[in-house]
Amino acid sequence: RHRLLLENAEQLVLVCGRREPYLRRDGAASLGVLRAASLVVGLDGCIKAVGQADVIRNQFSEAMFERIIDCSGKCVLPGLVDAHTHPVWAGDRVHEFAMKLAGASYMEIHQAGGGIHFTVEHTRKATEDELFTSFQHRLERMLRAGSTLVECKSGYGLNLETELKMLRVIERAKKSMDIGISSTYCGAHAVPKGKTATEATDDIINNHLPKLKELKLSGEIHVNNIDVFCEKGVFDLESTRRILKAGKNIGLHINFHGDELHPMKSAELGAELGARAISHLEEVTDEGIVAMARAKCAAVLLPTTAYMLRLKQPQARKMLEEGVIVALGSDFNPNAYCFSMPMVMHLACVNMKMSMNEALAAATINAAYALGKSDTHGSLEVGKQGDLLIINSSRWEHLIYQFGGHEALINYVIVKGKVIYENERCETMSNY
């Protein structure tokens, strides 16, 4: 008995075929794609077989399946991985979008008490249940856009009580929802009002992190990663180093914001500390790029942020050419309101000059690598978790090519071999 058989897909996009933990430029240039292929997911939620449809049919001729989906004329891809989001908050910032369009910069709004501070104020006031309800709706929208594993940060509390409230909300979703979650403590997202950066750093190291360690040991909250916003006027290089090292000492993966608005040498610091990933990197130095490639530290690029804040685009091509492992994230937050990894991939191709293959690798295996999960997620290989998408098109590239088209294109979203979302609209639309 098995959980699921996907039969006779026009294209089945493996992404990797030899258990690669990540794909650099050359690996991403030729993604594994099978034609007329089938896939089996077992009762344990893991992939049992991938191959030519006739071979699978013979191999499993006696088997029973809980569900069989005919994928004729359709494509099967790995579930998308969103490597950077801020999805737990109250109080949107739609009014600030108008200010930005009128010419105000991110830091001008931040210094005027808006931006992160505005969201912090509203998130502190919100109850845990209110935060959970809105978070749940956001995760469901991410899932419908094809994301099956999402990195979720705290960071709109800045005080211990609210940061823990956010992390409890993330923990609840981990236990109650189908979507995969990698949780990140981001208490160093901004310097709280009334504190200096040094005082905030001391508070995090002496109070926040010991509490997280205690809650981890008691099994109440399991945090995976630690993040700091390393930026001029926020946390400088030395404070960032202290916090990241303290987080690493309690077993958290280093995964932080660096070199976004000013060159801070964050990339060099991350490489030195053994960071799993660094996000943003619009202002990274050439030395930083080389250091990240050497350290196998993933670059999580966020095309929506550069687009919405009109920043200079991250140097994706240079990073790929230097051998950096490039991943993608939506940076979903009140300042960059985008749930859709297909749109993120499209922007990465158009604005950052990535190829569609590179963008798909960046939103699957490399994003999984950035979260320390590429051994179980990010490609369609035997033994990996059965997280997949079926799209209503005979070529997988439609997922990127159709800008904003995922709502009528994604036919099924499947997690651990279970259909989590089935899109009725696809059945009524002809294949296009």
Side-chain angles (χ1 to χ4, degrees), residues 120-393:
V120 166
E121 207 176 307
H122 286 77
T123 306
R124 283 180 178 178
K125 285 180 194 155
T127 67
E128 199 171 310
D129 284 340
E130 286 167 343
L131 288 174
F132 180 72
T133 303
S134 58
F135 178 42
Q136 210 175 359
H137 290 315
R138 290 168 193 155
L139 287 175
E140 282 162 3
R141 288 179 70 180
M142 290 176 180
L143 197 67
R144 291 200 295 272
S147 293
T148 54
L149 173 61
V150 177
E151 184 265 4
C152 299
K153 301 178 192 293
S154 69
Y156 293 120
L158 309 185
N159 60 22
L160 180 57
E161 178 196 352
T162 314
E163 287 296 315
L164 290 178
K165 177 170 70 175
M166 293 180 74
L167 291 169
R168 276 197 304 274
V169 164
I170 296 170
E171 194 68 29
R172 258 173 83 179
K174 271 189 185 182
K175 291 191 167 83
S176 65
M177 293 187 70
D178 296 298
I179 195 167
I181 292 174
S182 177
S183 60
T184 301
Y185 163 74
C186 186
H189 197 195
V191 177
K193 286 180 178 168
K195 276 199 167 92
T196 65
T198 306
E199 288 165 346
T201 302
D202 291 341
D203 184 35
I204 287 167
I205 292 169
N206 300 329
N207 300 315
H208 292 212
L209 292 175
K211 187 68 182 169
L212 285 187
K213 187 180 177 182
E214 180 192 314
L215 291 168
K216 188 179 177 181
L217 291 173
S218 71
E220 277 175 72
I221 297 179
H222 296 276
V223 181
N224 305 103
N225 317 292
I226 182 151
D227 191 353
V228 175
F229 187 14
C230 180
E231 186 52 72
K232 199 169 160 183
V234 192
F235 289 91
D236 66 12
L237 206 62
E238 201 35 53
S239 301
T240 301
R241 177 196 299 274
R242 288 180 58 209
I243 295 167
L244 293 176
K245 281 178 88 165
K248 192 177 184 178
N249 288 342
I250 64 162
L252 302 176
H253 284 309
I254 296 177
N255 188 331
F256 70 111
H257 292 62
D259 298 327
E260 178 183 359
L261 306 171
H262 299 92
M264 299 286 295
K265 293 202 184 309
S266 307
E268 292 89 328
L269 174 70
E272 176 201 326
L273 295 179
R276 170 61 65 172
I278 306 171
S279 291
H280 282 293
L281 300 165
E282 286 84 353
E283 299 288 344
V284 69
T285 63
D286 292 353
E287 295 76 20
I289 291 175
V290 170
M292 285 179 71
R294 199 173 294 142
K296 296 182 184 169
C297 170
V300 178
L301 305 185
L302 309 169
T304 46
T305 316
Y307 164 69
M308 290 185 207
L309 293 181
R310 298 168 173 161
L311 303 175
K312 105 180 178 199
Q313 295 288 333
Q315 303 175 67
R317 284 264 46 94
K318 185 170 174 64
M319 291 180 193
L320 286 160
E321 276 147 26
E322 294 284 355
V324 175
I325 300 160
V326 173
L328 289 171
S330 68
D331 196 16
F332 172 77
N333 75 81
N335 169 57
Y337 204 106
C338 175
F339 292 110
S340 164
M341 285 304 287
M343 290 177 84
V344 167
M345 290 190 286
H346 179 101
L347 288 171
C349 293
V350 175
N351 289 340
M352 300 189 331
K353 303 182 170 60
M354 290 174 75
S355 71
M356 286 191 282
N357 283 15
E358 288 165 347
L360 185 67
T364 53
I365 193 68
N366 290 355
Y369 172 80
L371 304 177
K373 294 230 184 218
S374 63
D375 54 336
T376 50
H377 293 71
S379 62
L380 300 183
E381 297 178 87
V382 171
K384 284 203 173 182
Q385 191 166 303
D387 292 4
L388 8 113
L389 310 181
I390 303 173
I391 67 166
N392 193 28
S393 168

